[in-house]
Amino acid sequence: MVLLVRKCFLGLFLGLSVFLVSCNREFEEMPSSESLVKEAIFESMQEWYYWNDRLPATINSGSYRSNEDLLYDLMYLQLDRWSYLTTQEEFNKAFTGQNAGHGFGFGLGEDGKLYVSFVYKDSPAGLDGWERGWEIIEINGKPIESYRSTNGYNFELGENTPGVTNTFTFKLPDGSTTTRTNIKSEYQANSVLHREVLETGGKKVGYWVYNSFKVSPGVSPNRSLEVEETLSYFESQGIDELVLDLRYNGGGSVDVAEQIMNALIPASEDGKLMYTNALNAEKTNFNETFQFSKTGNLELDRLLVITSRGSASASELIINCLDPYMDVILVGESTYGKPVGSFPLSQFNEVLSQNQVELVPITFAIANANGNAAYYQGFPVTIPSRDNPAFNWGDPKEDNLASALTYIQYGGSASNNRQRFQPSTWQMIDSFTGLEKEFPVY
């Protein structure tokens, strides 16, 4: 997903995507009005929504209690699970990793217990030393089971604003327990959670845990310095294979996804079609195609990608675009299924802009070089395996990593996971909606 309207944008990102620089225009002062905002949402949807042929001819804006109720009523729910409303500030912060909260995720282990699944290093949790693999046994003095809900867990951690405090009790891998009081604050999230080079079957295997496609703040053109540094590291190590771990990666900037793909594509495929996008029938003049532009010195015959239902949007873009040109082996669980993209619409509507309302509906569909553009059920995996957050990153006993390394050394016939594999019934992404679904974190 990317749409690049060159006359008006310097860049667009994907939907659960995007970060856009609009054309300059002068806005006249306009009073705030709930009715005007609702009408502006409807007008913008009529103009830009990918499924605008499914919209009603008119609406009664006064019959909706909130902007969110209106948007939900307009969404083509048969296929649209992603359109959302936010503010311009929150949108821009999210796509550059400027977060507020504790800064951790959680997941269910094979034993059914709840574990810290990842931690952002400069977040309150990261600065307090939390690590993947810590079992969560109590929050605010209550056992974890008391927070179980129909759709997973509701931890009641409060708003993600600085100063909110919660107390957690953990069981550590050595069997000891520790209780930590943690105060939410603002922090800069890192996207690279882990990287190392492993020796397997006489090969150097790069292992890269990448958690959301974020651009580095203040860098132009839009790109990730973390990604540059990681790719340089793997180049310097002379890796033979790469395991790209996107199991918790809900998407983000398509500019960064392209940055990664241009480094991973074989040099022999330089200049070939990366993807095409298509807007609604009234906006076909904005349809575009994008080609690979090889960067760096990595030469890989194949790519192993660890996925789950938490892998969506720009994560799936990488899988879909590279698949026509190299073997892409998926390990883990099927991806989320998001072959469509978005860009924010307040730049096109004065009422939305004046009222600080950011509308981010689905605005285009994406196809790879083979025309694959309808993976709404997600991409199936080659090697089924379960996420097991009881083990820290890089631990060869962790099921997904172990399955990937076994495949590299022995091939697919060595795996017996197909017989014992049971897909997970719930993952952390299921607890989030809207903008937060693309960047799920507590």
Side-chain angles (χ1 to χ4, degrees):
M1 310 244 290
V2 96
L3 161 68
L4 187 60
V5 184
R6 299 187 187 279
K7 293 181 180 179
C8 199
F9 306 148
L10 297 180
L12 275 188
F13 295 23
L14 171 66
L16 295 185
S17 114
V18 302
F19 179 73
L20 209 113
V21 180
S22 65
C23 347
N24 295 325
R25 40 171 141 169
E26 295 181 1
F27 295 108
E28 297 179 358
E29 289 299 322
M30 185 173 295
S32 174
S33 165
E34 290 185 9
S35 178
L36 283 176
V37 169
K38 291 182 175 65
E39 290 168 5
I41 290 171
F42 180 57
E43 291 167 1
S44 296
M45 292 287 281
Q46 285 182 308
E47 181 179 5
W48 291 102
Y49 191 45
Y50 183 67
W51 297 286
N52 64 348
D53 57 340
R54 303 277 181 168
L55 296 173
T58 61
I59 62 164
N60 177 7
S61 61
S63 65
Y64 295 97
R65 293 179 302 173
S66 67
N67 297 336
E68 287 74 16
D69 286 346
L70 169 60
L71 178 61
Y72 184 81
D73 198 44
L74 296 176
M75 289 167 60
Y76 178 48
L77 296 178
Q78 183 175 335
L79 294 178
D80 186 0
R81 295 172 282 168
W82 310 284
S83 296
Y84 62 90
L85 288 158
T86 183
T87 67
Q88 295 157 357
E89 180 182 14
E90 289 305 310
F91 180 89
N92 292 334
K93 282 184 175 181
F95 280 86
T96 53
Q98 299 173 69
N99 292 0
H102 293 302
F104 78 103
F106 69 87
L108 292 171
E110 289 186 346
D111 54 9
K113 298 176 181 178
L114 205 66
Y115 293 88
V116 173
S117 57
F118 69 88
V119 182
Y120 289 133
K121 64 180 181 180
D122 291 330
S123 70
L127 295 175
D128 194 35
W130 299 17
E131 292 186 5
R132 174 180 167 90
W134 287 17
E135 182 188 348
I136 310 171
I137 56 179
E138 288 184 358
I139 296 179
N140 293 325
K142 296 166 58 177
I144 285 301
E145 283 303 309
S146 66
Y147 292 101
R148 186 182 289 274
S149 66
T150 303
N151 297 320
Y153 290 86
N154 179 7
F155 287 149
E156 303 171 9
L157 297 179
E159 296 293 322
N160 276 340
T161 55
V164 175
T165 300
N166 292 286
T167 300
F168 303 82
T169 300
F170 302 101
K171 183 178 180 180
L172 306 185
D174 64 5
S176 64
T177 61
T178 182
T179 298
R180 307 289 180 91
T181 296
N182 198 263
I183 304 173
K184 293 184 179 183
S185 68
E186 295 180 346
Y187 64 92
Q188 178 66 47
N190 56 297
S191 291
V192 178
L193 298 182
H194 183 80
R195 71 182 192 195
E196 68 175 305
V197 175
L198 304 167
E199 296 281 347
T200 300
K203 295 182 176 181
K204 286 187 173 182
V205 180
Y207 178 47
W208 180 7
V209 184
Y210 190 65
N211 198 53
S212 73
F213 298 80
K214 302 186 184 84
V215 299
S216 296
V219 175
S220 181
N222 295 320
R223 66 189 192 279
S224 167
L225 299 180
E226 279 189 273
V227 165
E228 286 184 2
E229 293 165 359
T230 300
L231 291 168
S232 295
Y233 166 72
F234 287 132
E235 286 184 18
S236 69
Q237 295 296 308
I239 62 171
D240 304 300
E241 305 261 11
L242 178 63
V243 178
L244 179 58
D245 195 333
L246 302 176
R247 72 182 77 182
Y248 304 138
N249 194 321
S253 162
V254 169
D255 281 354
V256 178
E258 290 180 1
Q259 182 183 355
I260 294 172
M261 288 191 287
N262 283 326
L264 300 186
I265 193 73
S268 59
E269 311 297 345
D270 186 25
K272 293 187 178 179
L273 179 63
M274 182 184 286
Y275 65 90
T276 62
N277 62 20
L279 280 73
N280 65 40
E282 286 75 43
K283 298 291 185 181
T284 56
N285 56 311
F286 290 144
N287 293 353
E288 282 201 85
T289 62
F290 298 85
Q291 286 74 38
F292 287 102
S293 179
K294 175 65 179 176
T295 60
N297 300 315
L298 287 178
E299 279 295 330
L300 303 171
D301 296 324
R302 63 183 177 186
L303 174 68
L304 280 80
V305 186
I306 294 176
T307 61
S308 73
R309 196 167 66 256
S311 309
S313 196
S315 289
E316 294 172 305
L317 176 65
I318 284 185
I319 295 166
N320 199 38
C321 292
L322 292 178
D323 183 66
Y325 304 108
M326 59 193 301
D327 288 335
V328 181
I329 310 300
L330 301 192
V331 180
E333 298 186 54
S334 297
T335 64
Y336 191 85
K338 186 176 182 296
V340 285
S342 306
F343 49 86
L345 299 185
S346 68
Q347 62 176 324
F348 303 114
N349 190 287
E350 296 167 355
V351 174
L352 297 180
S353 180
Q354 290 284 333
N355 288 278
Q356 295 297 308
V357 174
E358 192 58 87
L359 171 61
V360 192
I362 296 302
T363 49
F364 58 94
I366 309 105
N368 70 0
N370 293 337
N372 186 13
Y375 45 91
Y376 289 98
Q377 302 305 312
F379 290 111
V381 295
T382 308
I383 305 174
S385 181
R386 282 284 296 272
D387 176 28
N388 193 352
F391 297 97
N392 208 342
W393 300 121
D395 191 323
K397 297 188 291 297
E398 196 276 315
D399 285 356
N400 283 336
L401 178 58
S403 295
L405 296 178
T406 297
Y407 184 90
I408 289 172
Q409 186 166 4
Y410 300 108
S413 60
S415 175
N416 62 358
N417 282 351
R418 294 180 185 273
Q419 297 179 357
R420 62 183 178 86
F421 175 75
Q422 294 293 326
S424 59
T425 57
W426 173 87
Q427 292 184 5
M428 196 177 81
I429 194 173
D430 299 326
S431 295
F432 292 84
T433 58
L435 179 62
E436 292 180 340
K437 199 174 189 72
E438 193 158 10
F439 306 103
V441 63
Y442 290 98

